[in-house]
Amino acid sequence: MRWQLSEQLRCLELQGELRRELLQELAEFMRRRAEVELEYSRGLDKLAERFSGRGGRLGGSSREHQSFRKEPSLLSPLHCWAALLQQTRQQSRDSAALSEVLGGPLAQRLSHIAEDVGRIVKKSKDLEQQLQEELLEVVSELQTRQAKFMEHKLKCTKARNDYLLSLASVNAAVSNYYLHDVLDLMDCCDTGFHLALGQVLRSYTAAESRTQASQMQGLGSLEEAVEALDPSGDRAKVLEVHAVAFCPPLRFDYQPHEGDEVAEIRVEVELRDEILPRAQNIQSRLDRQTIETEEVNKTLKATLQALLEVVALEDGDVLDSFQASPSTESLKSTSSDPGARQAGRRRGQQQETETFYIMKLQEYLSGRSILAKLQAKHEKLQEAIQRGDKEEREVSWTQYTQRKFQKSRQPRPTSQYNQKLFGGDMEKFIQSSGQPVPLVVESCIRFINLNGLQHEGIFRVSGAQPRISEIRDAFERGEDPLVEGCTAHDLDSVAGVLKLYFRSLEPPLFSPNLFGELLASAELEAMEDRVELVSRLLALLPGPVLVVLRYLFTFLNHLAQYSDENMMDPYNLAVCFGPTLLPVPAGQDPVALQGRVNQLVQTLILQPARVFPLLTLLPGPVYEKCMAPPSASCLGDTQPEGLAGENEPELEAGTPTQEDVPEGVVEAVACFAYTGRTAQELTFQRGDVLRLHERASGDWWRGECVGTGARGLIPHKYITLPGGAEKHLSQGSPAAGDLLSSPEGLLESVHRPEPCTPPGGPSGHRRHCLVPTSPERHVEVDKAVAQTMDSVFKELLGKTAARQGLGPAATNSPSSGARSPKPPGCSRLGKNKAS
């Protein structure tokens, strides 16, 4: 019994100790939780402030960004971002409040409860000890009486009675102690403990509930902001805010010269054969491009849908993983499971889909741009054709045919060369024939310039082999079969002849010794470095070869500018001309090297003005974008003696002889029709005889039309002069000097070209070339004439000048000050109209 009593005291003391430790743990938990919540609040606050400070990345410090920050609901993504930051700040404040509650009232309350529990347990222990002492005293008394009973048998009855009474009282006291007093003592120890602890936990639960309610409110706001995401609305708002930057610019209006009222495409009779096939080609190209663009658009939409599904599926997998593995340990363990590998594969598939989508988007935008350009060209051409049809009904076709047949047709003489043309050495051929650019190259390029710049698949589509052989044989005989007898249907055959000529040259244009270095230059990524290296390597080639290469690649650059219609961009042309111009030497792999060969040729097509020497460094013919038709009246060749007598009657019937022309006046023939754009300019038809009185500038003459008697300015590029006539007018006409010294002549200097005879002499390839004189000699030009010249030739002859920078063959403007003259050209076949 004494052991039980001591155990009771120990249990009571242990129960009090446990309660004190529990209260201490709770107090420590509340303090630690307060510190955690305080640190969490500070971390959230710093996070919100950091990303609020980075808001400049969304728009810098511009005025628009300031408006965005003042009114975050302007854009839905910014609204979402602002809502997320605001929810973070609110959660920071809630955590700070929870930290104050936990570290303040609740911790202090737990300390008070611990003190109360210790005090009450101590008092209960003292009371229990007192009761136990009383109980032991009773038991001791019982033991004493029992001893007396045993010692005093005489007093047995009394002692028995006392014993029984004591036994009953002891049993009653023990029963009362075990059944009532112990319970009451336990209740005494628990006095206020459960109530106080319940209040503390209720306060904690309420604080947590308010925190969760605030968090749910913030998440609800964020969800509303996410639901309010509006890409189209954001795009409209951005366009509205940045209206100045994104508003379409004003349309580019036609800028006519003084007095010019023509602002539309004109379908002249001479141009009808060119305009109609071009319109049909554009219509066919437009139909095909429309179908291709629609197919690309369908693929683009399907790809976008697949991409969005992949993105949505990836977000759903993340949420599923979170729900299936809520604990941190489970989430960490799932990072290496098969689901993570599947997510990685899905990520790779998403990137592939994105790449394909971007590629299709680029293809669609490019196709839509081409459609817009083709549609605009088609509409303009259709309007012009309709106006031309209406005008054609009003103009007599007979007048045009009569003018056409009244022109003298002087057949070209057959020439024989000492060197082989096809399959020969081009440099030796040039030296022996006196042709800076071989006739086959010059004539084929002119024919394509006049008839095939818009021809689809030029140089890619093969021509008829019999026709190619026929044209080649004619060139071998020294004839020019493209002057007459060829139509636009022969374009592919003419292109095949040009490629055949370059392919058959021995040795090839590019020296085999430079093949390796040229291909090495094609591997340079920077265009500037590549152009510089290729230019240095090409400078090692002979001068005549460089002249031909410059002529050819300038033409290919011009041809590539019509890639919207002819489908031959610089790369496609490089694929056609790469094997032709740079054959792979024997012993090397053509398949492995052909890509670099094509890249090199593409560089030459894109940068002819920077790769090849300038005209001042390498004199010679230069390709011009606008060429005159190769009519016999514009051949510019010296009339052969054997044929002079045959044309005399026709000359007397249709054209005044030189004896009827006043002294100091030279007659010229119009190569093609020209419509005056101002009252000062003369209008004439192709084949008309013009009398030139004096030279107004490097590109204009003052004269009259023999048929009508009208006087005005005559463009030099539209006429052909007899040999020596230009020099005669330049040196012997006093009118020109009077003009240049008159007060109306505001002085601007340009170099005057003079006629000369190229190497080969009269018996060789006969043509009259114009080359610049020394820089010391200048001629002063009328300023009004120079402005007129600059406007007219930029508009009439620069078909694609707006899409290409000024090169060696670009038209020089006298209004820009003293410059070098336009590159010299040759008047044979009416090709190079040099100023």
Side-chain angles (χ1 to χ4, degrees):
M1 186 175 177
R2 289 181 180 275
W3 177 83
Q4 285 184 338
L5 294 178
S6 62
E7 284 296 321
Q8 290 176 3
L9 290 176
R10 190 177 65 81
C11 290
L12 184 62
E13 185 178 0
L14 180 61
Q15 189 71 17
E17 186 68 20
L18 289 176
R19 292 174 181 175
R20 287 195 297 273
E21 290 179 357
L22 175 62
L23 292 174
Q24 290 176 359
E25 290 293 335
L26 285 175
E28 182 67 16
F29 171 79
M30 295 299 176
R31 286 194 297 272
R32 294 293 181 87
R33 180 64 186 273
E35 293 175 359
V36 170
E37 291 295 331
L38 181 59
E39 185 66 21
Y40 181 63
S41 172
R42 293 174 180 174
L44 290 179
D45 188 66
K46 290 180 180 179
L47 181 64
E49 291 299 324
R50 178 182 301 175
F51 283 93
S52 297
R54 293 184 180 179
R57 297 182 179 178
L58 300 178
S61 58
S62 61
R63 186 178 303 171
E64 293 79 2
H65 177 61
Q66 297 298 330
S67 65
F68 292 162
R69 298 186 65 181
K70 292 180 181 178
E71 190 176 355
S73 61
L74 184 59
L75 296 177
S76 58
L78 292 179
H79 181 204
C80 294
W81 176 243
L84 180 60
L85 293 179
Q86 182 63 28
Q87 194 270 340
T88 303
R89 295 190 184 94
Q90 181 62 35
Q91 189 174 0
S92 174
R93 290 191 291 271
D94 295 339
S95 298
L98 180 61
S99 174
E100 294 177 358
V101 171
L102 295 176
L106 294 183
Q108 185 176 6
R109 178 61 175 162
L110 289 174
S111 299
H112 294 166
I113 293 174
E115 294 175 359
D116 295 338
V117 168
R119 185 176 61 255
I120 293 174
V121 168
K122 183 179 180 181
K123 291 181 178 179
S124 298
K125 182 181 178 182
D126 295 339
L127 180 59
E128 185 177 9
Q129 289 177 350
Q130 182 180 356
L131 293 176
Q132 286 182 357
E133 290 175 358
E134 292 177 357
L135 180 60
L136 292 176
E137 289 177 359
V138 174
V139 172
S140 299
E141 183 179 357
L142 173 60
Q143 189 176 12
T144 303
R145 290 185 181 277
Q146 184 179 5
K148 288 180 179 180
F149 173 74
M150 296 299 295
E151 295 175 355
H152 305 282
K153 292 196 185 270
L154 296 176
K155 299 179 181 178
C156 179
T157 303
K158 184 177 178 180
R160 182 185 299 109
N161 292 337
D162 293 337
Y163 169 69
L164 292 175
L165 290 176
S166 298
L167 182 62
S169 63
V170 168
N171 289 331
V174 170
S175 176
N176 180 67
Y177 174 78
Y178 280 99
L179 296 179
H180 301 285
D181 294 346
V182 171
L183 298 178
D184 292 340
L185 290 174
M186 293 178 65
D187 292 338
C188 180
C189 292
D190 293 340
T191 301
F193 172 75
H194 293 85
L195 178 62
L197 182 60
Q199 290 179 350
V200 170
L201 294 178
R202 289 191 189 95
S203 299
Y204 173 74
T205 304
E208 286 289 345
S209 299
R210 286 195 295 270
T211 302
Q212 292 180 0
S214 177
Q215 185 176 5
M216 292 302 298
Q217 183 179 1
L219 292 177
S221 301
L222 181 59
E223 182 66 24
E224 293 177 358
V226 171
E227 292 295 333
L229 285 173
D230 184 12
S232 58
D234 294 340
R235 180 182 58 193
K237 290 178 182 179
V238 170
L239 294 177
E240 181 180 359
V241 173
H242 300 279
V244 178
F246 290 101
C247 66
L250 298 177
R251 293 178 60 87
F252 294 102
D253 296 330
Y254 177 72
Q255 301 295 330
H257 194 59
E258 300 177 358
D260 183 17
E261 298 180 356
V262 179
E264 58 188 17
I265 299 176
R266 303 296 297 272
V267 182
E268 305 290 348
V269 177
E270 295 85 348
L271 300 178
R272 191 174 185 82
D273 293 338
E274 175 188 352
I275 295 292
L276 290 178
R278 183 175 183 180
Q280 295 173 358
N281 185 24
I282 291 179
Q283 177 64 48
S284 176
R285 177 79 178 94
L286 189 61
D287 295 339
R288 290 196 303 271
Q289 187 64 37
T290 301
I291 297 175
E292 294 175 3
T293 304
E294 290 177 354
E295 293 297 328
V296 172
N297 189 24
K298 293 178 182 178
T299 306
L300 182 65
K301 292 180 179 179
T303 306
L304 177 60
Q305 183 65 28
L307 181 60
L308 295 179
E309 291 177 357
V310 172
V311 173
L313 181 61
E314 183 176 0
D315 294 340
D317 291 345
V318 173
L319 295 178
D320 294 341
S321 301
F322 186 82
Q323 293 175 358
S325 305
S327 64
T328 305
E329 292 76 7
S330 300
L331 289 176
K332 290 181 180 179
S333 63
T334 58
S335 60
S336 59
D337 62 357
R341 291 192 295 270
Q342 183 179 3
R345 288 193 298 269
R346 188 181 298 113
R347 183 67 176 173
Q349 180 183 0
Q350 177 183 349
Q351 293 178 358
E352 293 178 359
T353 307
E354 288 177 358
T355 303
F356 183 74
Y357 172 74
I358 295 299
M359 181 184 67
K360 286 299 177 183
L361 178 61
Q362 180 181 5
E363 186 176 350
Y364 172 71
L365 295 179
S366 177
R368 189 170 62 181
S369 176
I370 294 176
L371 270 180
K373 292 185 286 188
L374 291 176
Q375 185 65 34
K377 291 181 181 179
H378 181 262
E379 293 176 357
K380 288 292 183 181
L381 289 178
Q382 289 299 325
E383 294 175 0
I385 291 173
Q386 293 176 2
R387 289 194 303 267
D389 293 340
K390 183 177 179 180
E391 294 175 358
E392 185 179 359
R393 291 191 294 268
E394 300 174 359
V395 178
S396 173
W397 178 260
T398 306
Q399 298 178 359
Y400 169 71
T401 56
Q402 289 178 354
R403 278 200 312 270
K404 181 176 181 180
F405 287 106
Q406 285 177 358
K407 295 182 295 184
S408 59
R409 303 295 297 177
Q410 302 176 0
R412 183 179 183 84
T414 301
S415 301
Q416 299 295 330
Y417 305 128
N418 298 328
Q419 296 290 332
K420 188 178 180 181
L421 182 61
F422 285 81
D425 190 329
M426 189 186 70
E427 186 177 0
K428 294 181 180 179
F429 176 84
I430 292 174
Q431 294 175 357
S432 64
S433 65
Q435 300 177 9
V437 176
L439 176 62
V440 59
V441 177
E442 189 177 11
S443 183
C444 291
I445 288 178
R446 182 195 308 106
F447 187 84
I448 297 173
N449 175 281
L450 296 174
N451 302 282
L453 291 178
Q454 298 86 22
H455 181 66
E456 183 174 347
I458 187 71
F459 290 114
R460 186 181 68 236
V461 179
S462 301
Q465 189 59 40
R467 185 59 175 156
I468 292 177
S469 301
E470 181 182 351
I471 298 174
R472 179 197 61 189
D473 295 341
F475 278 118
E476 283 285 12
R477 295 192 299 268
E479 302 174 0
D480 189 349
L482 304 184
V483 173
E484 58 183 3
C486 290
T487 64
H489 298 288
D490 298 321
L491 274 169
D492 294 327
S493 298
V494 173
V497 171
L498 184 61
K499 291 197 299 181
L500 175 62
Y501 171 73
F502 286 114
R503 185 168 59 249
S504 63
L505 289 177
E506 285 293 341
L509 288 180
F510 293 92
S511 174
N513 299 330
L514 299 177
F515 185 82
E517 298 182 58
L518 287 173
L519 289 194
S521 66
E523 297 179 354
L524 298 177
E525 296 183 0
M527 179 62 72
E528 295 291 337
D529 300 338
R530 189 189 312 166
V531 168
E532 181 180 359
L533 181 55
V534 172
S535 179
R536 290 202 307 267
L537 294 175
L538 293 182
L540 302 177
L541 296 176
V545 175
L546 280 179
V547 170
V548 176
L549 288 175
R550 180 178 62 188
Y551 194 92
L552 172 65
F553 281 103
T554 306
F555 159 69
L556 294 179
N557 177 272
H558 183 207
L559 181 64
Q561 295 173 13
Y562 291 85
S563 60
D564 290 346
E565 301 178 40
N566 59 33
M567 303 297 292
M568 297 301 291
D569 56 17
Y571 178 76
N572 292 336
L573 290 173
V575 171
C576 295
F577 275 91
T580 299
L581 299 176
L582 276 88
V584 178
Q588 301 188 33
D589 186 5
V591 178
L593 299 178
Q594 196 57 52
R596 286 186 287 172
V597 170
N598 295 341
Q599 188 173 6
L600 173 63
V601 176
Q602 182 182 6
T603 302
L604 298 178
I605 295 175
L606 290 173
Q607 305 289 342
R610 299 172 57 190
V611 170
F612 296 102
L614 299 176
L615 185 65
T616 55
L617 303 177
L618 181 65
V622 177
Y623 170 78
E624 294 185 355
K625 295 182 179 179
C626 183
M627 293 184 172
S631 60
S633 62
C634 294
L635 288 177
D637 289 348
T638 305
Q639 180 69 16
E641 297 178 1
L643 299 176
E646 300 177 4
N647 292 323
E648 287 181 0
E650 187 176 357
L651 180 62
E652 292 175 358
T655 306
T657 62
Q658 191 67 24
E659 296 178 356
D660 299 332
V661 179
E663 183 178 359
V665 176
V666 175
E667 289 189 350
V669 179
C671 291
F672 48 93
Y674 177 74
T675 301
R677 304 174 68 84
T678 66
Q680 298 177 351
E681 298 175 9
L682 182 63
T683 300
F684 51 83
Q685 299 297 326
R686 179 179 176 182
D688 288 350
V689 179
L690 307 172
R691 290 180 179 174
L692 308 179
H693 297 287
E694 58 188 9
R695 187 145 194 174
S697 72
D699 288 299
W700 291 91
W701 296 88
R702 294 190 184 275
E704 61 178 336
C705 181
V706 175
T708 62
R711 292 175 173 266
L713 294 174
I714 300 173
H716 176 74
K717 297 177 180 290
Y718 283 68
I719 62 175
T720 180
L721 297 173
E726 185 177 5
K727 184 174 182 181
H728 173 71
L729 278 177
S730 301
Q731 297 179 353
S733 176
D738 296 340
L739 170 71
L740 298 176
S741 60
S742 62
E744 296 128 326
L746 298 178
L747 306 182
E748 291 189 8
S749 301
V750 296
H751 298 295
R752 180 203 301 268
E754 292 184 352
C756 70
T757 303
S763 61
H765 184 71
R766 294 181 295 274
R767 75 174 91 185
H768 291 87
C769 298
L770 299 177
V771 298
T773 60
S774 61
E776 288 78 7
R777 299 185 58 187
H778 299 84
V779 59
E780 297 170 342
V781 182
D782 187 291
K783 184 175 182 180
V785 173
Q787 292 177 348
T788 303
M789 175 200 69
D790 180 58
S791 174
V792 170
F793 283 100
K794 281 186 177 180
E795 295 174 6
L796 290 180
L797 306 181
K799 292 182 180 179
T800 56
R803 296 186 295 177
Q804 181 183 15
L806 289 176
T811 303
N812 293 325
S813 174
S815 60
S816 61
R819 295 184 181 179
S820 300
K822 191 173 180 180
C826 299
S827 60
R828 182 183 56 79
L829 296 173
K831 181 190 73 68
N832 293 323
K833 299 170 287 299
S835 59

